[in-house]
Amino acid sequence: LFPCKMVDPTLAEMGKNLNEAMKMLEDNQRKVEEENEKKYARKDIPGPLQGSGQDMVSILQLVQNLMHGEEEEETSQAYRLQNVGEQGHMALLGHSLAAYISVLDRERLRKLTTRILSDTTLWLCRLFRYENGSAYYHEDDREGLLKICRLVIHTRYEDYTVEGFNVLYTKQPVIYISSAARTGLGQALCNQLGLPLSCMCRVPCNTMFGSQHQMDVALLDRLIKDDVESGKLPLLLVANAGTPGAGHTDKLGRLKELCEQYNMWLHVEGVNLATLALGYVSSSVLAATKCDSMTLTLGSWLGLPAVPAVTLYRHEDPSLVSAGLTSSQPVEKLRALPLWLSLQYLGHDGIVERIKHASQLSQRLLENLKNLDFIKTSVEDELSSPVVVFKFFQAYSNRDQTSHAAQASTIQHPIISNERHIYDTFNQWLGEQLAQLVPASGVDVVELDDEGTCVRFSPLMTSAVLGTEIQDVDQLVDCLKMKIPVLTSTLQLREEFEQEVRRTVGLLYIEDLSWPGLGIVRYNYHSNGKNDDKQEKELEKINTELLKKLNELESDLTFSLGPEFGGQKNCVYIGMVTEDLDVSELVETIAATGREIEENSRLLENMTEVVRKGIQEAQLQLQKANEERLLEEGLLRQIPVVGSVLNWFSPFQASPKGRTFNLTAGSLESTESTYVSKAQGTGTTPPPTPTASLAKQRLPGQKIFKRSLRSSDAFSETSSVSHCDDLEKMDQRPPALSPSQEQGPLETERTEEQKEAARATKTDTEDVQSDKSPRDCTKVEEQESQR
């Protein structure tokens, strides 16, 4: 890692140890002995500190075990560690060097930190076209804006250092932020600065012209005038070069003119600032170079771990200590050391290449999305948009678009609201599926005010860390193509499923717009005067058994109990479906299966009572039978000795009488038929199960709930086959009977001419039959003459 001619052996040893430590931490192949030790390790309970201490290898091994844990559960974290790369090692080395340099003498430390700060600031200002700027390095990306606010307060309020909040009370400052800014940014600034929330003004975005995510400049102008007239002081404006949601850029040129008019400070932040390092920069982003300050997050753009964010700013007194942008402590200036090392390792070309690669990934995805149906994109500039936001959307074919627009302009119609909620649910499911299928793409789900739930692809924030390539984008498009038909078919069949369930007796449709699937159904339990608690238990039992039965069917559908939190109880949730789903068969099967389970449940419930009554009735009948036997046998036969002698001389013949208990009928029956037939009868045939009638004829390989998409072709093929079978049967029929054979006894009523004609016809027919012998023909003639 370090050349052999290095003078300081400590630095060489530090680099060597860091290199070995990183190799050990990134090694996922562990030995069996280490696995055995891990099984007995108490990870959750801290152990005592060993008195003799441990070596570095043992400590690093412990760190490795804590980092990786179970490989099956933290594969994503392991994947991120594998893509740190050598440039990441340089950033990590910077933290170690910063700790080592801090022990130098004060003069050497001052010279070294001054060189590191000046080099890093100069490189960044040249890379991002920010002339004559100063830099502040901070760990939290919001800390730079906080320091800028303090700098502006110290500049605009001359007596702030002496008077403090009394100066702010006489003339309240106002900070303007966009409504599309990061959530909680304004509240965080007010809390850190000690200002009331009334000092924060949220500027709405455009509603009539331009992008719906850009700040409304005309409305901002009116807000500033109103604040000036009310005695407030417009202090600072926070603009976006790439909003956190959609990646749109505000009209920075017009905002800069407005800030100069009212003597306001303009601060810009956003992911699109990374494109300033490219050869071609859009004019909207290029205007950010004229702003008063900007915040750069180089760690995510370049895939550098643990590097600070940078806020570049211009001020007459850049060493304003009271604002906190500069410090007299040399150790704090060493924050830039990891970035200083990483920038030198990557070089100018390496930095530009990484940002350019991320922009090419966005363009590749955007070009593919243009050719897909039912996909709506929300990008600001199709030629150079580094953030791609898209969503699944299907036009309303059964409703008038004009009426929708008229209703939306006046008041939000409930139907439109429900449809948007459904689309939000479907896009939430789509984003989660794409992120799971293609984790290297780094897509996520974002909530926008106007578009609703969308899927966002921002490679500038994820590609360097995840190692996203062109093939990952192509795989993302392929997965999207597979999911679109499922979304469209499910959306089309939702209404049909709802109608089928509502018209089916015994089923209850549960409306839940947040469920991404066909719908939710509940089997209604017909209570017989039961209380609510018992009815609820029976309902839960039946629907749980219904879900189990449905999952046992060989189908492509997914049946579940719904989400873990916030879902309806005692319901069956049906997931996404395809276009060949037979909704009527599905609903019929659910209803029939529910009835079967309910009947079985009632049978088991009533079994105890039926058996108890049957036993009581059997006891009464047995007692009655014993009394009848005593009357038939007589009193003498009951005496022990006399009865035996009497039975020996004159045996008593009595037919055996028994009883059997029929569980199906719930009654006692005689066993006389069993003794007569010498075989036990099976009783009445049980009724067929409700699901038995649902077994429809299916093609080979066709699963349940699937309807054939080629029904017409199948019908024609079946018709042709049946027609051929009929022809074959006609060829195999026996010869036609003669009129004499058909008439039989009526032959005596015929005239002689009719007999001769019949006889001639018979002769001609027999001559045609090739399988008849002459002897058979003679026999037929003799039989005819005898008649």
Side-chain angles (χ1 to χ4, degrees):
L1 186 62
F2 287 90
C4 299
K5 62 181 181 179
M6 180 175 290
V7 179
D8 194 344
T10 306
L11 293 178
E13 185 67 20
M14 183 185 304
K16 180 181 178 181
N17 292 338
L18 179 64
N19 192 19
E20 294 178 354
M22 291 304 300
K23 287 183 178 179
M24 183 177 298
L25 291 176
E26 293 180 351
D27 185 14
N28 294 332
Q29 303 295 333
R30 284 167 285 180
K31 298 180 181 180
V32 180
E33 293 80 8
E34 297 170 350
E35 291 286 347
N36 295 333
E37 293 177 1
K38 179 183 175 182
K39 292 180 181 178
Y40 300 100
R42 297 181 301 174
K43 297 183 296 183
D44 299 332
I45 304 176
L49 184 63
Q50 296 187 8
S52 58
Q54 301 184 47
D55 56 359
M56 181 180 295
V57 177
S58 301
I59 297 175
L60 291 178
Q61 186 63 52
L62 176 61
V63 175
Q64 178 189 4
N65 295 338
L66 295 176
M67 288 170 55
H68 295 288
E70 296 294 335
E71 296 296 334
E72 295 80 8
E73 299 178 357
E74 301 184 4
T75 54
S76 59
Q77 181 69 15
Y79 182 78
R80 296 174 70 92
L81 290 173
Q82 292 175 1
N83 287 276
V84 170
E86 294 184 1
Q87 76 278 358
H89 293 179
M90 295 300 298
L92 299 177
L93 178 62
H95 293 274
S96 301
L97 287 177
Y100 172 70
I101 294 174
S102 63
V103 301
L104 297 177
D105 59 273
R106 191 174 186 83
E107 184 63 22
R108 289 176 180 271
L109 180 61
R110 185 187 62 81
K111 292 181 179 181
L112 182 58
T113 54
T114 303
R115 172 63 184 275
I116 293 173
L117 283 177
S118 60
D119 288 349
T120 310
T121 303
L122 178 62
W123 296 337
L124 293 177
C125 289
R126 289 180 177 178
L127 269 171
F128 297 98
R129 309 185 184 196
Y130 198 81
E131 299 178 357
N132 302 324
S134 303
Y136 172 68
Y137 304 90
H138 46 91
E139 301 296 335
D140 189 357
D141 54 357
R142 296 179 299 182
E143 186 179 354
L145 178 58
L146 177 63
K147 298 292 185 180
I148 290 296
C149 291
R150 290 177 177 172
L151 173 64
V152 179
I153 290 176
H154 280 83
T155 304
R156 298 295 303 276
Y157 294 92
E158 298 179 356
D159 299 333
Y160 180 77
T161 306
V162 179
E163 298 293 335
F165 69 92
N166 291 327
V167 181
L168 303 179
Y169 180 76
T170 57
K171 201 168 188 179
Q172 181 178 344
V174 182
I175 300 175
Y176 302 90
I177 64 173
S178 173
S179 59
R182 289 180 290 174
T183 305
L185 178 62
Q187 185 176 2
L189 290 176
C190 291
N191 292 337
Q192 294 295 325
L193 296 173
L195 298 176
L197 293 178
S198 59
C199 294
M200 191 62 54
C201 178
R202 294 180 62 87
V203 182
C205 294
N206 291 335
T207 56
M208 299 298 294
F209 306 101
S211 170
Q212 297 179 347
H213 304 278
Q214 290 179 343
M215 195 182 304
D216 193 337
V217 181
L219 182 58
L220 174 63
D221 190 8
R222 292 196 298 267
L223 291 175
I224 296 176
K225 289 181 181 179
D226 294 341
D227 291 336
V228 172
E229 293 176 358
S230 60
K232 298 181 181 180
L233 178 63
L235 193 67
L236 181 138
L237 172 63
V238 182
N240 292 302
T243 54
H248 291 200
T249 302
D250 292 326
K251 298 179 178 64
L252 300 179
R254 295 183 59 188
L255 293 179
K256 179 59 180 175
E257 296 175 357
L258 195 63
C259 290
E260 291 177 351
Q261 178 182 351
Y262 293 98
N263 193 19
M264 293 173 56
W265 186 283
L266 177 60
H267 178 82
V268 182
E269 60 182 19
V271 66
N272 293 354
L273 294 175
T275 59
L276 291 172
L278 301 178
Y280 169 76
V281 186
S282 61
S283 58
S284 59
V285 181
L286 189 61
T289 58
K290 304 300 181 182
C291 64
D292 298 306
S293 60
M294 64 170 63
T295 298
L296 310 175
T297 55
L298 298 171
S300 57
W301 299 349
L302 305 178
L304 303 176
V307 297
V310 184
T311 297
L312 302 178
Y313 63 98
R314 297 189 185 98
H315 194 263
E316 297 177 355
D317 185 12
S319 59
L320 190 59
V321 181
S322 57
L325 287 169
T326 58
S327 175
S328 59
Q329 298 296 328
V331 178
E332 294 186 5
K333 298 180 180 180
L334 293 175
R335 290 179 180 175
L337 182 57
L339 192 57
W340 184 73
L341 293 175
S342 301
L343 293 178
Q344 291 185 86
Y345 182 84
L346 292 174
H348 181 274
D349 296 339
I351 297 173
V352 174
E353 184 63 29
R354 284 177 176 266
I355 298 176
K356 183 179 179 181
H357 174 68
S359 300
Q360 291 175 349
L361 294 176
S362 298
Q363 293 301 312
R364 180 63 172 265
L365 178 62
L366 186 58
E367 292 175 358
N368 291 318
L369 293 180
K370 292 179 181 178
N371 302 324
L372 295 180
D373 297 331
F374 310 111
I375 294 297
K376 178 182 177 182
T377 58
S378 176
V379 295
E380 180 183 14
D381 187 2
E382 294 185 356
L383 298 178
S384 60
S385 179
V387 180
V388 179
V389 177
F390 61 93
K391 63 179 296 185
F392 166 75
F393 180 80
Q394 187 175 5
Y396 307 111
S397 58
N398 57 344
R399 297 185 177 91
D400 188 6
Q401 296 286 345
T402 306
S403 62
H404 269 205
Q407 292 171 354
S409 61
T410 57
I411 187 172
Q412 191 174 17
H413 199 271
I415 297 179
I416 301 177
S417 177
N418 292 343
E419 288 174 345
R420 175 172 177 175
H421 200 163
I422 292 175
Y423 277 114
D424 291 345
T425 301
F426 276 40
N427 283 282
Q428 177 78 24
W429 177 85
L430 177 62
E432 294 175 355
Q433 288 292 313
L434 295 177
Q436 182 179 1
L437 295 174
V438 193
S441 64
V443 295
D444 60 346
V445 181
V446 61
E447 297 286 343
L448 302 180
D449 294 336
D450 298 314
E451 286 83 359
T453 304
C454 300
V455 184
R456 179 178 57 187
F457 177 67
S458 181
L460 277 172
M461 301 297 294
T462 59
S463 63
V465 177
L466 299 178
T468 310
E469 299 294 339
I470 295 294
Q471 55 268 23
D472 297 324
V473 177
D474 296 339
Q475 183 182 0
L476 180 66
V477 175
D478 295 338
C479 294
L480 185 59
K481 291 180 180 179
M482 292 188 300
K483 297 300 179 182
I484 289 177
V486 178
L487 291 170
T488 55
S489 58
T490 305
L491 185 62
Q492 293 173 358
L493 295 175
R494 275 179 74 104
E495 186 174 356
E496 180 182 353
F497 176 76
E498 179 181 355
Q499 295 176 357
E500 288 288 341
V501 172
R502 292 189 184 278
R503 72 167 63 104
T504 303
V505 179
L507 296 183
L508 177 64
Y509 180 80
I510 305 298
E511 185 175 5
D512 188 357
L513 301 179
S514 61
W515 171 248
L518 183 64
I520 310 170
V521 64
R522 174 188 295 164
Y523 184 80
N524 276 337
Y525 175 73
H526 303 288
S527 61
N528 296 326
K530 298 181 180 179
N531 54 20
D532 295 339
D533 295 338
K534 190 172 182 180
Q535 182 179 355
E536 188 71 19
K537 291 181 180 179
E538 292 292 338
L539 183 65
E540 180 180 1
K541 181 179 179 181
I542 292 177
N543 284 276
T544 303
E545 186 67 21
L546 175 61
L547 176 63
K548 181 180 178 182
K549 294 285 186 181
L550 293 176
N551 284 323
E552 292 176 355
L553 299 176
E554 295 182 359
S555 65
D556 295 333
L557 302 182
T558 56
F559 304 95
S560 63
L561 292 174
E564 184 178 359
F565 302 101
Q568 297 285 340
K569 294 183 178 180
N570 305 327
C571 297
V572 176
Y573 286 73
I574 306 174
M576 294 288 177
V577 298
T578 54
E579 60 179 350
D580 57 349
L581 174 68
D582 193 341
V583 178
S584 59
E585 181 183 359
L586 172 62
V587 176
E588 185 181 358
T589 303
I590 294 176
T593 307
R595 287 193 298 269
E596 180 183 1
I597 296 173
E598 182 181 1
E599 291 175 1
N600 294 337
S601 176
R602 288 183 176 180
L603 179 62
L604 294 176
E605 181 182 358
N606 298 331
M607 186 64 68
T608 304
E609 184 67 20
V610 171
V611 171
R612 186 181 64 82
K613 292 182 179 179
I615 293 175
Q616 293 178 355
E617 183 179 355
Q619 291 178 349
L620 295 176
Q621 292 189 9
L622 289 176
Q623 183 178 0
K624 184 178 179 181
N626 290 331
E627 294 176 356
E628 293 178 354
R629 185 174 60 86
L630 290 176
L631 295 177
E632 292 179 359
E633 294 179 359
L635 182 60
L636 294 177
R637 294 183 183 272
Q638 308 304 321
I639 302 175
V641 180
V642 178
S644 300
V645 176
L646 186 59
N647 288 332
W648 184 77
F649 283 104
S650 176
F652 180 79
Q653 299 294 333
S655 60
K657 296 181 180 180
R659 297 291 185 270
T660 177
F661 184 71
N662 192 342
L663 293 178
T664 304
S667 61
L668 288 174
E669 298 178 357
S670 175
T671 59
E672 184 177 357
S673 59
T674 303
Y675 289 101
V676 172
S677 61
K678 306 298 183 181
Q680 186 174 0
T682 58
T684 59
T685 304
T689 58
T691 57
S693 60
L694 300 177
K696 299 182 179 180
Q697 294 182 357
R698 306 184 182 279
L699 298 176
Q702 183 180 0
K703 293 187 177 181
I704 192 173
F705 308 138
K706 298 289 185 180
R707 67 170 182 268
S708 177
L709 296 179
R710 299 179 58 189
S711 57
S712 59
D713 299 339
F715 176 77
S716 61
E717 293 175 0
T718 306
S719 302
S720 61
V721 172
S722 60
H723 181 63
C724 295
D725 295 341
D726 294 340
L727 293 178
E728 293 178 359
K729 293 179 180 179
M730 291 178 63
D731 294 339
Q732 296 175 1
R733 285 179 181 176
L737 297 176
S738 64
S740 60
Q741 292 174 332
E742 294 177 355
Q743 297 297 331
L746 298 178
E747 182 64 22
T748 56
E749 300 177 3
R750 293 186 179 182
T751 62
E752 294 297 327
E753 290 80 7
Q754 291 176 341
K755 291 183 180 180
E756 291 295 332
R759 196 176 290 114
T761 305
K762 183 62 178 179
T763 305
D764 295 337
T765 306
E766 291 175 350
D767 292 339
V768 177
Q769 302 294 335
S770 59
D771 56 345
K772 296 293 183 179
S773 61
R775 183 177 301 174
D776 297 333
C777 296
T778 305
K779 291 181 179 179
V780 173
E781 292 178 356
E782 292 178 356
Q783 293 176 359
E784 193 68 30
S785 62
Q786 290 177 1
R787 292 181 181 178

